[in-house]
Amino acid sequence: MLKEDLIKRFRITEGKGFKLADIDPSETAGLDIDKDDAKELLASGTKRLHALQERLYAEGRWSVLIVLQAMDAAGKDGMIEHVMSGINPQGCEVTSFKAPSTVELRHDFLWRTSCALPQRGHIGIFNRSYYEEVLVARVHPAILAKQNLPPALVKDDIWDERFDSIRDFERHLARNGTVVLKFFLHVSKGEQRRRLLERIDEPDKNWKFDAGDLAERKRWPDYMNAYEEAIAGTAAKHAPWYVVPADNKWFSRLVVAAAIADKLEELDPQFPKLDAEAREAMKRARVELASEGNGSSGGKHKS
């Protein structure tokens, strides 16, 4: 598992002076390991996550919201598959947000994601999120137009106002026991090109290819500007951004796993302690079960 001081390098809690260009998408923090070593490190991280999540679920006080944002082919789906592989599905929900439905467009831009927030004791993962409303909606004005806002509210400062709304929303979540961790998987344009070509050239990856990705790729500078302003405008101690170098999938997965585990360890959830009455009831139950003896059900248990 990666050390805390390394994770801090990618954590953004104060937007002033933040520049996306200051973080190299190909960085691996000097780690020179092979795939097997990377898998071993990640396995150690997911084992750590499993133990912490079990306590989080049992305690039932905190909830954790993980926001994943990235350009196409940056590795969001693989991140969920590999990093969360050790998590008990009973206490974890993944929600992917596509283009808003007609019903969703009849509400404010935070409504649909609010409906999918994790309950206490659970981890919720947003594959894209309310941040799409200051990213794709900003790059494509036609999307904003479809939201049927009163014309008087669509002003030049609408994005700053949405940053205000997001900051207030995340502050509200933090005040009510939901930990917000936001990850931007920072892939380079060159690495995205390689991965898109891979989707075309390898038959078992053809299903991942979407011609629309090429149209979005042409807006790369616009998206980078939108991401930079969104991260700078909403980074906070209670809702930090992690700008994770994503050209090397093994490294980005290690960073995300470590960041989540470090936060859960900070929360330090505990298994509930039984009161005297519950302990007495458990003792009586044990006596009753033990008195039944082995094989009383008429058959032998096979494991």
Side-chain angles (χ1 to χ4, degrees):
M1 182 60 78
L2 301 183
K3 296 180 179 179
E4 164 68 11
D5 58 348
L6 189 151
I7 304 303
K8 284 182 179 179
R9 293 172 57 175
F10 309 115
R11 183 187 302 141
I12 312 298
T13 58
E14 168 58 56
K16 186 177 180 180
F18 170 73
K19 296 294 181 184
L20 197 53
D22 291 340
I23 299 177
D24 180 2
S26 65
E27 182 181 352
T28 59
L31 289 180
D32 184 16
I33 58 178
D34 58 28
K35 287 186 177 181
D36 289 338
D37 288 336
K39 286 181 179 179
E40 186 175 333
L41 271 176
L42 186 58
S44 173
T46 55
K47 183 178 180 181
R48 179 182 171 203
L49 275 176
H50 175 81
L52 289 163
Q53 185 233 359
E54 187 175 15
R55 285 158 45 188
L56 181 83
Y57 182 81
E59 185 182 64
R61 292 185 179 273
W62 294 95
S63 57
V64 178
L65 174 62
I66 298 169
V67 172
L68 291 178
Q69 292 287 158
M71 295 294 286
D72 298 310
K76 296 189 304 300
D77 293 340
M79 181 69 67
I80 295 169
E81 177 185 354
H82 289 85
V83 172
M84 310 309 289
S85 61
I87 296 296
N88 184 344
Q90 187 176 7
C92 180
E93 297 87 30
V94 179
T95 308
S96 296
F97 293 98
K98 307 296 184 182
S101 67
T102 302
V103 172
E104 289 168 343
L105 287 171
R106 291 173 183 160
H107 295 268
D108 68 271
F109 79 95
L110 289 170
W111 180 79
R112 66 172 182 162
T113 47
S114 298
C115 295
L117 289 170
Q119 61 184 296
R120 299 192 191 283
H122 286 228
I123 295 175
I125 303 172
F126 284 0
N127 186 344
R128 301 190 186 277
S129 67
Y130 44 89
Y131 278 96
E132 293 295 284
E133 302 303 328
V134 293
L135 296 168
V136 65
R138 186 172 188 175
V139 173
H140 296 281
I143 293 176
L144 183 64
K146 290 180 180 179
Q147 296 180 2
N148 293 323
L149 288 166
L153 299 181
V154 184
K155 301 174 292 186
D156 290 341
D157 63 351
I158 187 172
W159 309 117
D160 290 330
E161 290 183 343
R162 286 195 170 186
F163 292 158
D164 284 342
S165 295
I166 289 172
R167 285 193 294 267
D168 290 343
F169 178 61
E170 291 176 344
R171 190 177 294 111
H172 167 75
L173 293 179
R175 286 171 174 166
N176 286 274
T178 296
V179 174
V180 182
L181 300 175
K182 303 173 292 190
F183 298 92
F184 171 54
L185 305 185
H186 187 24
V187 70
S188 67
K189 192 175 183 181
E191 177 61 17
Q192 189 204 49
R193 174 180 177 274
R194 188 192 70 78
R195 294 180 188 178
L196 291 176
L197 283 171
E198 195 174 65
R199 291 179 178 184
I200 295 171
D201 295 338
E202 297 187 17
D204 60 347
K205 293 185 178 181
N206 288 170
W207 65 275
K208 292 184 177 183
F209 181 73
D210 184 342
D213 294 346
L214 296 183
E216 294 299 88
R217 179 176 166 81
K218 292 176 182 178
R219 306 299 296 271
W220 191 275
D222 296 331
Y223 272 109
M224 293 302 102
N225 179 65
Y227 267 110
E228 182 172 281
E229 291 199 19
I231 293 168
T234 60
K237 289 183 179 180
H238 61 269
W241 274 101
Y242 292 82
V243 181
V244 183
D247 278 8
N248 296 284
K249 292 180 180 179
W250 64 267
F251 182 72
S252 63
R253 291 166 184 169
L254 289 177
V255 171
V256 172
I260 298 170
D262 283 352
K263 186 60 186 180
L264 288 176
E265 286 192 339
E266 182 184 320
L267 296 178
D268 192 27
Q270 299 296 317
F271 291 114
K273 294 182 179 180
L274 300 181
D275 59 24
E277 183 179 349
R279 288 189 178 279
E280 282 301 316
M282 194 163 59
K283 287 180 181 178
R284 291 193 297 271
R286 193 186 191 290
V287 170
E288 181 178 337
L289 289 169
S291 67
E292 292 180 1
N294 294 326
S296 60
S297 61
K300 293 183 177 180
H301 173 69
K302 293 182 179 180
S303 60

